[in-house]
Amino acid sequence: NDLPHTDCCPGFGSVAKYVATSIREAGYDVASMARTSTKIFVLEVMGRHAGWVALYTGIGASADWILVPEVKPDLQKMCAHLKKVYDRRQTALVVASEGIHLPSHDEAKEEKDEFGHMLLKNRGVGTELAEIIEKETGKETRAAVIGHIQRGGSPSLFDRVLGLRVGARAAELVAKGDWGKMVALRGNEVIPVPLTEATAKLKTVPKDWMDFAGIFWK
């Protein structure tokens, strides 16, 4: 969901819904485990530079803390909050983007692919975060990583309709010879946007969204 000039990228809603409500299909059921186990759980989800999946998943799964790449983690504040939550409920849930930066990470030393992007699969953010939480809170903490299975599954009705709408609009642009455009969703309209604008920068999670998520961390 990191493309600018569109309210929602096709497929994003399906991914967030799948991770939040169908984790059991990947062999995990973090929500149920959190309700029935006396542990703290960390769920690592996709998100290199933009934390939209973690944000929506965390809100949808009633997470007690959400970590996104856009915000430097305040691990002490998080652990203090998780301890209070655990003392009250005997469990807690954290959702974290795979691209967050932990104190031990040195980007200059991290392994990169042929495009210069760090290999996120080797970072082990969820596992390291679980170790930090367990050490700071004294509570047993487990990590679960959903991985690229998030890209699978059946799309939601909204995404099915959105895919058809933007696809049909794109075909119309091709028929007219109107090249170099991306079809974007603005409100309830699908409109063409120049590719130069659509790829100029990433759409990242703004502060007001994180403030909204924080309302539910009680």
Side-chain angles (χ1 to χ4, degrees):
N1 202 40
D2 57 2
L3 280 175
H5 302 291
T6 185
D7 293 343
C8 187
C9 295
F12 167 69
S14 297
V15 169
K17 177 178 181 292
Y18 176 76
V19 178
T21 63
S22 303
I23 296 171
R24 65 181 63 88
E25 295 180 18
Y28 306 108
D29 191 349
V30 176
S32 294
M33 290 166 66
R35 288 194 298 268
T36 60
S37 301
T38 54
K39 298 181 182 67
I40 296 176
F41 292 92
V42 176
L43 176 63
E44 178 186 326
V45 300
M46 296 175 68
R48 179 185 298 273
H49 300 297
W52 292 105
V53 173
L55 176 74
Y56 272 64
T57 297
I59 293 174
S62 300
D64 301 294
W65 203 266
I66 300 170
L67 295 172
V68 297
E70 294 88 341
V71 181
K72 182 179 179 180
D74 188 337
L75 299 180
Q76 288 189 333
K77 183 177 181 181
M78 177 189 70
C79 288
H81 175 71
L82 293 176
K83 194 172 186 305
K84 290 180 181 178
V85 172
Y86 184 93
D87 290 342
R88 185 173 72 249
R89 297 202 319 248
Q90 301 300 297
T91 189
L93 174 64
V94 176
V95 176
S97 295
E98 60 188 345
I100 64 170
H101 299 284
L102 297 177
S104 63
H105 292 163
D106 184 347
E107 289 190 34
K109 296 181 179 179
E110 288 192 283
E111 187 179 357
K112 296 180 173 58
D113 62 18
E114 61 270 29
F115 302 103
H117 300 144
M118 55 187 173
L119 294 174
L120 298 178
K121 66 178 181 179
N122 298 330
R123 302 181 81 227
V125 164
T127 300
E128 184 176 349
L129 193 57
E131 292 173 355
I132 293 172
I133 293 172
E134 184 165 320
K135 180 180 179 181
E136 293 296 322
T137 65
K139 310 301 180 184
E140 184 177 357
T141 306
R142 300 286 180 86
V145 183
I146 302 301
H148 277 72
I149 198 168
Q150 293 162 78
R151 295 182 180 273
S154 179
S156 66
L157 177 60
F158 175 83
D159 274 332
R160 290 178 189 272
V161 175
L162 177 59
L164 289 170
R165 292 186 70 194
V166 297
R169 188 75 173 92
E172 291 176 3
L173 296 176
V174 170
K176 295 176 181 178
D178 190 0
W179 309 108
K181 303 289 178 63
M182 178 192 82
V183 179
L185 177 68
R186 295 275 186 83
N188 196 39
E189 301 294 326
V190 287
I191 62 172
V193 175
L195 281 174
T196 52
E197 296 180 18
T199 59
K201 63 179 181 179
L202 293 177
K203 181 179 71 176
T204 54
V205 175
K207 182 180 181 299
D208 59 340
W209 264 108
M210 292 305 297
D211 291 342
F212 171 71
I215 292 173
F216 307 101
W217 301 345
K218 304 299 183 183

